Amino acid sequence: APRKIHMGIVGGGFGCGFQWHEHPDCVVEAVSDLLPERRDRLMKTYKCSKSYNSLAELVKDKKIDAVAVFTEGPNHVKHVIEVMQHGKHAISAVPASMGGGVAEAERLLAAVKKYGLTYMMAETSYYQQPTISVRQFYEQDKFGHLFYSESEYQHDGLESLYWRDGKRT
């Protein structure tokens, strides 16, 4: 990068599991979560002294170039569009679109085209060694004629995000 990228991180549950702050060309400029204890956890994780009470406040920070959206799944499209409306690139947790079907995904695509900014869905499984190996085996035709495939996605720890004080979040 010609200069360091200044990130905002939103969502102090799953959002604490990334290493933005360890990249030499990245600075975590600010963090946000609606819950104070999760904001504090984000600040501690990313060694960041600036926090906002909401995404709506964070996106107004002129020092931020890109925002990592790790809020609840049903709001990813809405939040990514809000980020882009403020001139910032976005990455979100999976799923990119949830519950709104193709129309919701098309709204996300339209926003990317309208604002001309970069969007990335943070599907990390693509970069895990088992996935890389299977891709290579397929490209090398090591499976022969493939007529059926099945996969499982294991992501330990996410179940803790679905509950708060004994109630579903």
Side-chain angles (χ1 to χ4, degrees), residues 85-130:
Q85 286 172 334
H86 286 85
K88 296 166 190 339
H89 304 284
I91 183 170
S92 77
V94 296
S97 174
M98 181 177 176
V102 173
E104 185 178 58
E106 287 174 342
R107 278 196 354 260
L108 176 59
L109 178 60
V112 171
K113 289 179 178 179
K114 176 180 178 179
Y115 297 109
L117 297 164
T118 299
Y119 167 72
M120 180 178 179
M121 183 178 66
E123 178 45 77
T124 55
S125 293
Y126 185 85
Y127 303 101
Q128 293 175 355
Q129 190 56 55

Side-chain angles (χ1 to χ4, degrees), residues 11-18 41 46 70-71 93-94 122 124 153 155 158 161:
F14 190 56
C16 287
F18 294 81
R41 183 173 168 220
Y46 294 113
F70 295 109
T71 56
V94 296
T124 55
Y153 181 74
H155 207 315
L158 287 183
L161 301 175

Side-chain angles (χ1 to χ4, degrees), residues 18-169:
F18 294 81
Q19 294 78 40
W20 316 107
H21 59 302
E22 294 181 14
H23 194 284
D25 292 330
C26 182
V27 174
V28 175
E29 183 68 32
V31 298
S32 176
D33 195 286
L34 298 174
L35 302 174
E37 64 272 16
R38 292 202 309 212
R39 258 193 323 273
D40 292 345
R41 183 173 168 220
L42 281 165
M43 291 172 71
K44 182 178 178 184
T45 297
Y46 294 113
K47 298 169 184 63
C48 177
S49 61
K50 191 189 317 180
S51 71
Y52 293 99
N53 294 328
S54 69
L55 170 66
E57 294 175 22
L58 180 132
V59 293
K60 294 176 185 172
D61 188 323
K62 298 205 184 303
K63 289 186 177 181
I64 294 175
D65 303 305
V67 177
V69 176
F70 295 109
T71 56
E72 60 284 351
N75 285 322
H76 287 168
V77 169
K78 179 176 98 172
H79 290 161
V80 167
I81 291 172
E82 184 174 356
V83 165
M84 290 189 165
Q85 286 172 334
H86 286 85
K88 296 166 190 339
H89 304 284
I91 183 170
S92 77
V94 296
S97 174
M98 181 177 176
V102 173
E104 185 178 58
E106 287 174 342
R107 278 196 354 260
L108 176 59
L109 178 60
V112 171
K113 289 179 178 179
K114 176 180 178 179
Y115 297 109
L117 297 164
T118 299
Y119 167 72
M120 180 178 179
M121 183 178 66
E123 178 45 77
T124 55
S125 293
Y126 185 85
Y127 303 101
Q128 293 175 355
Q129 190 56 55
T131 308
I132 293 168
S133 294
V134 166
R135 222 174 15 256
Q136 289 173 343
F137 294 162
Y138 177 76
E139 290 166 359
Q140 296 165 1
D141 201 27
K142 290 188 176 184
F143 293 122
H145 181 70
L146 197 60
F147 63 92
Y148 177 79
S149 177
E150 192 169 310
S151 174
E152 180 177 320
Y153 181 74
Q154 182 66 29
H155 207 315
D156 294 331
L158 287 183
E159 58 277 353
S160 67
L161 301 175
Y162 302 138
W163 298 90
R164 181 171 169 82
D165 299 327
K167 297 178 185 168
R168 282 189 66 80
T169 60

